[in-house]
């Protein structure tokens, strides 16, 4: 009675995440083309016939590019808030959802909750089945109490680790874009994500898929090594911006080494303490050196947005 999850693509050039059981599945976002979605699922042995719905986190093009064609071809309902649909420019009949109100898709249950991002009405999601919970936590400007709460109950999670603070600080982006990324409604840094992982990691967590890495301000090797040092038995993987991940099976069985190492996950830490730790970490990570003024040219990605 497991859940099976995969990243079909993760990054500013397109985002699409698959979560399903043996008979039904959902996609969270579809920011790559319908054809590429089909190809990647076929390579993974995943059947599009199992996909019963698409859930939309927000209206940025790297999250919605493939939705109109995919939804029409497979007659998929698209769950999207009214504000997100209005700002997306997509001509389709979406099904509205509300924060914290569960949506049943067959045996799956999807619970949205509000996140901090520079979009009209952005949401993160928890997808659950048979008491197994998967979190999809990307495009998050700041770790908040709701994120801490939901992360602390997950068996697996797609967690954003977008940028290394030093790489962003010393990189070629103009100051307005640097401030947008790290300003509270942009993206989570490696260190913010690590603070959340270390402080709020539950003893149920089997798998962490680090997601939405910046092309210019991060590297898969860097973030893999950083989180692996703190894994305590949790499987750490990095979702690529250039292709699909493998399919991971999440069965809810803890296989970690936390008890034997004497380092216990933070399931027992009260939520106010988590919030305080995350707030302190955020302040430390966002009040660093004064950015240097430099001439900079930011190239656009394939979808017309700067590569984050």
């Amino acid at each position: 009675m497991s859940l099976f999850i995969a990243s079909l693509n993760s990054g500013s050039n397109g985002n699409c995440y698959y979560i399903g059981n043996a008979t039904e599945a959902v996609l969270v976002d579809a920011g790559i083309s319908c054809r590429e979605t089909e190809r990647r699922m076929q390579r993974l042995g995943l059947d599009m016939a199992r996909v019963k719905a698409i859930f939309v986190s927000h209206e940025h093009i790297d999250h919605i590019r493939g939705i109109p064609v995919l939804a029409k071809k497979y007659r998929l309902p698209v769950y999207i808030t009214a504000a997100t649909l209005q700002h997306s420019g997509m001509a389709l009949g979406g099904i509205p959802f509300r924060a914290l109100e569960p949506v049943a898709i067959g045996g799956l249950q999807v619970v949205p909750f509000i996140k901090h991002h520079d979009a009209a009405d952005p949401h993160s999601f928890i997808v659950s089945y048979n008491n197994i919970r998967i979190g999809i936590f990307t495009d998050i400007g700041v770790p908040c109490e709701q994120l801490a709460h939901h992360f602390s109950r997950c068996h697996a999670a797609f967690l954003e680790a977008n940028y290394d603070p030093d790489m962003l600080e010393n990189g070629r982006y103009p100051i307005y874009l640097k401030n947008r990324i790290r300003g509270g409604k942009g993206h989570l840094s490696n260190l913010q994500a690590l603070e959340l992982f270390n402080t709020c990691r539950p003893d149920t967590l089997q798998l962490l898929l680090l997601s939405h890495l910046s092309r210019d301000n991060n590297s898969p090797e860097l973030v893999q090594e950083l989180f692996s040092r703190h894994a305590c038995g949790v499987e750490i993987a990095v979702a690529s911006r250039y292709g699909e991940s493998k399919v991971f099976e999440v069965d809810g069985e803890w296989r970690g080494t936390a008890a034997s190492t004497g380092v216990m996950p933070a399931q027992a830490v009260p939520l106010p303490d988590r919030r305080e730790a995350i707030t302190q970490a955020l302040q430390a990570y966002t009040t660093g050196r004064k950015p240097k003024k430099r001439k900079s040219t930011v190239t656009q990605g394939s979808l017309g947005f700067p590569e984050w």
Side-chain angles (χ1 to χ4, degrees), residues 4-9 16-20 27 44 46 158 209 244-248:
F4 300 90
I5 70 173
S7 169
L8 301 184
N9 204 81
C16 186
Y17 306 105
Y18 174 99
I19 306 97
L27 296 179
L44 291 173
L46 298 173
F158 299 88
L209 259 170
E244 67 274 20
S245 71
K246 72 176 186 179
V247 177
F248 296 90

Side-chain angles (χ1 to χ4, degrees), residues 28-59:
V28 172
D29 295 332
I32 54 178
S33 70
C34 176
R35 179 175 296 180
E36 198 59 36
T37 301
E38 292 170 330
R39 286 174 177 169
R40 296 181 186 196
M41 287 188 59
Q42 184 177 30
R43 289 198 293 261
L44 291 173
L46 298 173
D47 189 351
M48 272 299 304
R50 292 181 184 173
V51 177
K52 306 303 182 185
I54 302 171
F55 283 79
V56 184
S57 66
H58 62 292
E59 73 274 12

Side-chain angles (χ1 to χ4, degrees), residues 31-219:
I32 54 178
S33 70
C34 176
R35 179 175 296 180
E36 198 59 36
T37 301
E38 292 170 330
R39 286 174 177 169
R40 296 181 186 196
M41 287 188 59
Q42 184 177 30
R43 289 198 293 261
L44 291 173
L46 298 173
D47 189 351
M48 272 299 304
R50 292 181 184 173
V51 177
K52 306 303 182 185
I54 302 171
F55 283 79
V56 184
S57 66
H58 62 292
E59 73 274 12
H60 292 166
I61 192 66
D62 56 320
H63 294 261
I64 65 170
R65 185 188 186 195
I67 289 176
V69 175
L70 198 64
K72 181 178 180 180
K73 181 174 181 178
Y74 292 97
R75 298 182 180 181
L76 295 174
V78 177
Y79 288 82
I80 185 170
T81 70
T84 298
L85 181 59
Q86 179 183 354
H87 284 80
S88 72
M90 292 188 293
L92 52 83
I95 301 175
F97 63 78
R98 297 180 63 181
L100 303 180
E101 293 187 358
V103 178
I105 305 294
L108 304 175
Q109 180 176 270
V110 182
V111 177
F113 66 94
I114 294 170
K115 63 183 178 182
H116 295 274
H117 193 55
D118 54 357
D121 191 16
H123 286 73
S124 293
F125 300 97
I126 297 288
V127 181
S128 62
Y129 168 71
N130 194 34
N131 292 320
I132 299 171
R133 292 175 291 275
I134 310 296
I136 302 90
F137 309 134
T138 70
D139 296 78
I140 297 170
V142 60
C144 64
E145 183 176 357
Q146 280 204 72
L147 176 61
H149 169 71
H150 289 292
F151 183 78
S152 73
R153 302 177 69 244
C154 283
H155 296 86
F158 299 88
L159 178 63
E160 177 171 72
N162 180 256
Y163 66 94
D164 172 79
D166 289 334
M167 290 178 69
L168 179 66
E169 173 70 22
N170 298 311
R172 61 192 178 88
Y173 283 12
I175 187 60
Y176 82 88
L177 185 53
K178 291 180 181 181
N179 288 339
R180 181 186 177 193
I181 292 169
R182 64 193 176 192
K185 289 193 173 181
H187 294 274
L188 284 188
S189 74
N190 296 348
L191 298 180
Q192 287 171 303
L194 182 64
E195 176 68 18
L196 180 73
F197 179 63
N198 282 338
T199 308
C200 303
R201 177 174 67 241
D203 56 11
T204 57
L205 192 68
Q206 292 177 235
L207 169 68
L208 188 71
L209 259 170
L210 299 165
S211 305
H212 213 304
L213 273 66
S214 169
R215 184 190 67 181
D216 296 318
N217 301 308
N218 212 346
S219 80

